[in-house]
Amino acid sequence: MRIIQDRRAFLAGLSAAGGAALFNIRPSSAAEPPPETTTVRLGKWGAYCWASVFLAGELMRADGITDVRYVTGDTSVDNSQWLARGDTDFDMNMPSMHITSIEAGVPIKVLTGVHFGCFELIANDSVQAVADMRGKRVGVWVLDSHPHKLTSLMANYVGLDPVHDIQWVETENPMQDFIDGQVDAFLAATPEPQIFRGQKDFPGHTVVNIAVDRPWSQYFCCMVAGSTDYVTKYPAATKRVLRAILKAADFCASNPELAAQELVDRGFLPNYDYALATLKETPHDRWRDYDAEDTVRFYALRMQETGMIKSSPQQILSNGTDWRFLNELKRELKR
């Protein structure tokens, strides 16, 4: 049964997750300087895996970032472009998309990982393993999108040439084209796996689930990056933004039912059941345990191997990451 929670219950839920103190509008620590700015712009679109970003707004406001703006940019491009174009100050995205921006010279800094497990490679009976995709039709929204990049990396990892061995099919709705038999496989993002698992006649099965299948399950799929300008000018504000997102991630893990309800009630997501399933299937409480730097290194190496980037993993790390805030927050937000 869905439990409708009012604002008081929501704050109580956050208290259970260890975040109630943030609702006193004051710096989280007397030793911390006040934020240099009270404004931050975050992306808003129908991404169920963005739960911690959506729920972090209240925590940011209570921690001195009083003007939290959720911005919807140009939906015809990947949301990494919103950050690149200056429409947002922070972006949550796949490591591959952040690395693509760094390679292109976009001034961003990857700051933390949040969770893993957003994607599943779904295929028909002709594809029982990734290596079976040779010669098969794989549906993607558009080439160079994060589904295309991640599927290409999976293919290259088992020895396929993703450029020549796979027939890429650009389509507005890869899942529907898969159901209609127009493609043999597609990369499903939450809540698509939850949708197909609820359909008895769905004509596919999971080939790779990055929540459980190595090596992908050993690395973050969603990481937060900020514009270099914001991070450099406003370090105290940046720390508060990240603190709020990570505390919201803890809340999503500790009370997924309440978190899912708030996501719907606040208008961020339309479907409670899909939100709840996403929170239960994408571990949000492992950000302390997983290695953000190693995640960027792993993806950069895979991308270099496929020819997606020319920079070495170390160059990507040196040019586009900053782990100072994460290291501080790991010490501060101990379990």
Side-chain angles (χ1 to χ4, degrees):
M1 177 183 295
R2 292 173 57 177
I3 300 174
I4 305 301
Q5 302 283 353
D6 61 15
R7 180 176 176 80
R8 179 177 298 177
F10 174 57
L11 300 189
L14 282 171
S15 178
L22 290 179
F23 284 87
N24 296 318
I25 301 178
R26 56 179 175 75
S28 292
S29 169
E32 285 188 4
E36 304 88 351
T37 179
T38 58
T39 300
V40 65
R41 297 168 302 162
L42 307 168
K44 180 182 179 182
W45 61 303
Y48 282 77
C49 59
W50 275 45
S52 59
V53 174
F54 296 151
L55 293 179
E58 286 297 325
L59 291 166
M60 293 181 201
R61 294 183 184 101
D63 202 20
I65 311 296
T66 55
D67 184 11
V68 180
R69 306 175 188 178
Y70 285 96
V71 178
T72 299
D74 181 358
T75 56
S76 69
V77 300
D78 185 81
N79 48 281
S80 61
Q81 291 299 309
W82 302 357
L83 182 61
R85 296 174 179 182
D87 298 328
T88 57
D89 301 309
F90 294 87
D91 176 52
M92 185 146 86
N93 216 318
M94 283 288 295
S96 55
M97 302 311 292
H98 291 318
I99 292 167
T100 297
S101 293
I102 296 166
E103 171 80 355
V106 178
I108 67 168
K109 296 294 182 184
V110 183
L111 303 168
T112 186
V114 178
H115 63 81
F116 62 99
C118 288
F119 296 99
E120 295 184 30
L121 180 63
I122 308 299
N124 58 28
D125 289 343
S126 70
V127 180
Q128 297 296 316
V130 176
D132 296 334
M133 289 198 300
R134 187 187 302 273
K136 297 298 192 296
R137 302 162 299 170
V138 178
V140 294
W141 308 326
V142 65
L143 296 181
D144 291 329
S145 62
H146 54 273
H148 175 241
K149 288 181 184 293
L150 181 54
T151 309
S152 295
L153 296 178
M154 290 179 179
N156 182 74
Y157 194 77
V158 300
L160 296 181
D161 180 344
V163 175
H164 299 103
D165 289 343
I166 294 175
Q167 298 181 46
W168 299 103
V169 179
E170 292 184 284
T171 169
E172 292 184 1
N173 194 331
M175 184 169 74
Q176 187 59 52
D177 278 12
F178 176 78
I179 294 172
D180 296 339
Q182 301 301 307
V183 297
D184 301 301
F186 74 105
L187 191 71
T190 55
E192 290 172 329
Q194 289 77 22
I195 294 173
F196 84 73
R197 274 194 284 274
Q199 300 177 355
K200 293 181 180 179
D201 58 347
F202 187 81
H205 62 278
T206 297
V207 176
V208 177
N209 180 345
I210 69 169
V212 297
D213 293 323
R214 291 173 178 265
W216 318 102
S217 62
Q218 304 304 297
Y219 304 99
F220 290 110
C221 68
C222 284
M223 305 189 77
V224 173
S227 75
T228 299
D229 184 63
Y230 193 102
V231 172
T232 302
K233 286 183 178 179
Y234 313 130
T238 296
K239 183 177 179 180
R240 282 165 166 75
V241 170
L242 295 182
R243 178 193 287 126
I245 292 172
L246 295 177
K247 290 187 77 67
D250 284 341
F251 173 55
C252 288
S254 66
N255 198 335
E257 293 83 6
L258 179 53
Q261 189 61 60
E262 284 299 323
L263 288 165
V264 174
D265 288 350
R266 291 167 182 268
F268 287 109
L269 298 174
N271 189 291
Y272 170 85
D273 292 327
Y274 295 157
L276 179 59
T278 296
L279 294 180
K280 287 186 173 181
E281 296 182 24
T282 53
H284 278 67
D285 58 351
R286 304 290 293 279
W287 61 266
R288 298 171 181 82
D289 306 320
Y290 273 46
D291 190 325
E293 180 173 323
D294 199 37
T295 293
V296 175
R297 183 181 295 107
F298 171 81
Y299 273 93
L301 180 59
R302 303 283 83 79
M303 294 174 72
Q304 185 186 43
E305 290 172 348
T306 62
M308 292 181 185
I309 63 172
K310 295 181 179 179
S311 301
S312 69
Q314 190 54 48
Q315 288 172 318
I316 294 295
L317 286 166
S318 297
N319 295 335
T321 66
D322 186 342
W323 310 122
R324 291 174 299 157
F325 306 100
L326 176 59
N327 292 334
E328 291 178 14
L329 291 169
K330 279 185 176 181
R331 292 191 293 268
E332 176 184 325
L333 302 179
K334 294 180 180 179
R335 286 189 178 90

